[in-house]
C-alpha cells in the first residue's frame, strides 16, 4: 500500500485535499513540516493509519488529535519500509 | 539497463508559475532515454499542462509543444485525472497532445498504488 | 533497504532540505543504505559552497558534507537544473565563461540519468518537496 507524505498547511494550499482525493483504502498518510497543522483534527483525515511527525508538531505548538499518531523519524523510516510506493504531496 | 522498477511521474503543477512542470517533463524524458520509461499521470493543476498555450509574450518556451516529445520517447499514453479536469471546468476535448492517447482515470488512488516508485513534480 | 532521496527545496528557503537531512540520519541509524541523494529543481542550491548562514542558525551545507564524509554518501546535483540557477563546478564555470565555480566539496554534478538509474535500483524513492 502507498505511503502519502503531505508537507503543506491545509489552510494554504491543496496538497492535503489533493492527497485525500487520491488515497486508497489501506494507504497510510504522514503529515510533516507545515502539514502538521492538519493534525489538530478535522480536515477529513483517514481514521486509520494517519501519522504526524511529533517534532514538527512540537516545533509549531500544534497538539495532535487522538485519531492521529505522533511518530519520530525512526518510525517514519519504518513506515517507508512497510509501504510502497511513497508519494509526496507538496506545494 | 533493464527496466527493473515501474515508475510513475505524478505531475501536479501548472506550467510557467513554477519550474516543476518543465523540470518534471525533463526528468520523464531522461528516464525514458535510460530505458526506464515512466507512466505519466497529470492530476490537480497538472491537467493545465494539456491546454493549448501561447507563452511567447512572457518569454517562456511552450511546454505544451515540448510535451509532444513524449510519444517519441515511448510515453504514448497520458493518464489524466477526470475529477481534476471537471473541477477546473475543462472539457476533455480541450486536452490533447499530438501522438499521445489521453486516458481519463476515475480511481487515481488504485492506479498510483500499482507502481514501485512515484516521482512527484 | 536501499533508499534514494530526491530534494527539491533550497536550503534556508523551504524546510525540505532540512527534513531530508533528518530523514537521512534516521535511515542510516536504522541500518538502511542511501544509494543516492539527488538534488533537483531549487534543491541544487544545497550544493553551493558560498552559503554563509549566521553562526546561530543550522548550517545545512556542512551537515550534508559531514554525512558524505562519514557515510560515503552519493550527493548528486542535477547539472541542467544547477546551470540554470548558478551552481557550477570550476570546470563548468570555465567552460561557460563564468568568473568562478561554487560547487561545494562532497557534491557531484551529473545528468538526470542519475535519477532514472537511482529509481531503477533503489528499493524506495522519497521526494522532499520545496
Amino acid at each position: 500500500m502507498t505511503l502519502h507524505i503531505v508537507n503543506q498547511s491545509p489552510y494554504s494550499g491543496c496538497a492535503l485535499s489533493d492527497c485525500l482525493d487520491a488515497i486508497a483504502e489501506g494507504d497510510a498518510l504522514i503529515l510533516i513540516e507545515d502539514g502538521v497543522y492538519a493534525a489538530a483534527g478535522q480536515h477529513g483525515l483517514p481514521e486509520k493509519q494517519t501519522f504526524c511527525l511529533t517534532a514538527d508538531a512540537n516545533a509549531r505548538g500544534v497538539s495532535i488529535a487522538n485519531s492521529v499518531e505522533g511518530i519520530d523519524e525512526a518510525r517514519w523510516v519504518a513506515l517507508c519500509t512497510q509501504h510502497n510506493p511513497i508519494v509526496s504531496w507538496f506545494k | 539497463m533493464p527496466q527493473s522498477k515501474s515508475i510513475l511521474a505524478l505531475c501536479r503543477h501548472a506550467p510557467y508559475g513554477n519550474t516543476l512542470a518543465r523540470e518534471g517533463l525533463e526528468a520523464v524524458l531522461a528516464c525514458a532515454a535510460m530505458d526506464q520509461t515512466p507512466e505519466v499521470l497529470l492530476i490537480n493543476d497538472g491537467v493545465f499542462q494539456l491546454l493549448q498555450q501561447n507563452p511567447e509574450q512572457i518569454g517562456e518556451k511552450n511546454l505544451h509543444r515540448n510535451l509532444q516529445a513524449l510519444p517519441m520517447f515511448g510515453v504514448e499514453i497520458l493518464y489524466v485525472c477526470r475529477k481534476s479536469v471537471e473541477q477546473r471546468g475543462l472539457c476533455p476535448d480541450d486536452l490533447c497532445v499530438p501522438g499521445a492517447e489521453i486516458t481519463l482515470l476515475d480511481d487515481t488512488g488504485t492506479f498510483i498504488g500499482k507502481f514501485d516508485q512515484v516521482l512527484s513534480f | 533497504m536501499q533508499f534514494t532521496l530526491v530534494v527539491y527545496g533550497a536550503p534556508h528557503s523551504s524546510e525540505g532540505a532540512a527534513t531530508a537531512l533528518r530523514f537521512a540520519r534516521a535511515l542510516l541509524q536504522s541500518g538502511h543504505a542511501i544509494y543516492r541523494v539527488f538534488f533537483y529543481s531549487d534543491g541544487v542550491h544545497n550544493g553551493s559552497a558560498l552559503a554563509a548562514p549566521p553562526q546561530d542558525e543550522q548550517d545545512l551545507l556542512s551537515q550534508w558534507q559531514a554525512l558524505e564524509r562519514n557515510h560515503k554518501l552519493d550527493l548528486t546535483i542535477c547539472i541542467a537544473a544547477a546551470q540554470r540557477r548558478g551552481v557550477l563546478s570550476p570546470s563548468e564555470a570555465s567552460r561557460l565563461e563564468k568568473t568562478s565555480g561554487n560547487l561545494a566539496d562532497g557534491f557531484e554534478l551529473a545528468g538526470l540519468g542519475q535519477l532514472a538509474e537511482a529509481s531503477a535500483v533503489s528499493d524506495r524513492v522519497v521526494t522532499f518537496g520545496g
Side-chain angles (χ1 to χ4, degrees), chain C residues 36 38-39 74-82 108-115:
Chain C
R36 178 166 297 141
F38 191 83
F39 296 90
D74 175 332
L75 304 178
T76 298
I77 294 189
C78 172
I79 190 165
E108 298 286 338
L109 291 171
L112 272 166
Q114 297 297 302
L115 174 62

Side-chain angles (χ1 to χ4, degrees), chain A residues 40-72:
Chain A
Q42 303 163 337
H43 306 294
L45 298 175
E47 287 170 15
K48 289 180 187 166
Q49 297 248 77
T50 299
F51 305 89
C52 164
L53 273 190
T54 304
D56 289 358
N58 286 345
R60 291 163 172 80
V62 172
S63 27
I64 303 171
N66 289 336
S67 55
V68 177
E69 185 179 347
I71 61 171
D72 63 7

Side-chain angles (χ1 to χ4, degrees), chain B residues 1-2 4-5 7 19-20 22-24 26-27 30-32 34 36 61 116-121, chain C residues 6 8 40-42 80-81 84-85 112-125 127:
Chain B
M1 185 170 44
S4 45
K5 293 280 186 333
I7 303 173
T19 59
L20 276 166
R22 175 161 300 283
E23 294 190 318
E26 289 178 3
C31 286
M34 297 273 294
Q36 307 296 321
K61 289 196 289 188
D116 294 318
Q117 319 285 25
V118 176
L119 301 174
S120 303
F121 298 106
Chain C
V6 186
Y8 291 159
Y40 194 42
S41 200
D42 287 347
R84 286 187 183 118
R85 292 168 174 87
L112 272 166
Q114 297 297 302
L115 174 62
E117 190 252 354
S119 302
V121 304
S122 299
D123 299 306
R124 297 288 187 272
V125 176
T127 302

